[in-house]
Amino acid sequence: MMTPEELLRGQGLRVTRPRLAVLDVLTQGGHLEVEEITRQVRERLDSVSTQAVYDVLGALSRAGLARRIEPAGSPARFEARVGDNHHHIVCRSCGTIEDIDCVVGERPCLRPSDGHGFQVDEAEVTFWGLCPACQRKRFED
């Protein structure tokens, strides 16, 4: 397993304290909004601006070390699970997001009926429904 420093260097990125802190937050798991990532990074570092966190997230995403997802009606969220072509399921009520492994096991999972000449290498699939907690709440109400 590569260290965070090796991951950054392997993608041609400088190793900085903000990049290491953001990577650490993302590798803890979840689908985090920038505000939550910033809050957790500030617990690790003396000071960091929200813009610096945005810049780090952009660099990590471009380098393939983070993934940005934007479910409809939700702010951008980031995760460290990359490169495995997984999908997401989102609760329509509370917005909880969970990972779902690739439906068919290989990229791009779905093929468009007309690719318009594109070489398709990825399909972003989002499933929608109600999470177990919201189902229970609906049943209790």
Side-chain angles (χ1 to χ4, degrees):
M1 181 112 176
M2 295 178 77
T3 67
E5 292 85 355
E6 291 170 331
L7 287 171
L8 291 169
R9 286 188 186 109
Q11 295 301 317
L13 297 175
R14 287 184 311 118
V15 176
T16 64
R17 291 180 67 228
R19 286 179 177 165
L20 290 172
V22 170
L23 262 180
D24 184 48
V25 168
L26 291 177
T27 57
Q28 300 303 311
H31 305 89
L32 304 173
E33 295 180 26
V34 174
E35 292 76 22
E36 177 60 19
I37 296 167
T38 302
R39 186 189 67 72
Q40 290 187 41
V41 166
R42 286 180 178 151
E43 291 174 1
R44 291 161 171 78
L45 302 177
D46 296 332
S47 174
V48 67
S49 70
T50 302
Q51 185 59 52
V53 171
Y54 271 106
D55 293 346
V56 168
L57 288 166
L60 295 177
S61 295
R62 287 187 300 277
L65 297 175
R67 182 175 177 190
R68 177 186 174 124
I69 62 169
E70 289 186 69
S74 175
R77 296 174 184 239
F78 293 84
E79 65 180 337
R81 186 176 172 186
V82 296
D84 66 351
N85 201 43
H86 72 280
H87 309 299
H88 297 97
I89 188 162
V90 181
C91 179
R92 289 185 186 280
S93 182
C94 70
T96 294
I97 301 173
E98 296 292 340
D99 291 335
I100 295 181
D101 289 333
C102 179
V103 192
V104 298
E106 63 185 46
R107 287 188 149 154
C109 284
L110 298 172
R111 304 232 180 253
S113 59
D114 182 353
H116 300 281
F118 283 69
Q119 180 180 352
V120 178
D121 61 12
E122 182 178 4
E124 201 170 287
V125 179
T126 303
F127 298 92
W128 294 86
L130 288 177
C131 70
C134 289
Q135 291 175 54
R136 283 191 299 279
K137 185 177 177 186
R138 181 177 274 184
F139 182 71
E140 293 168 356
D141 287 345

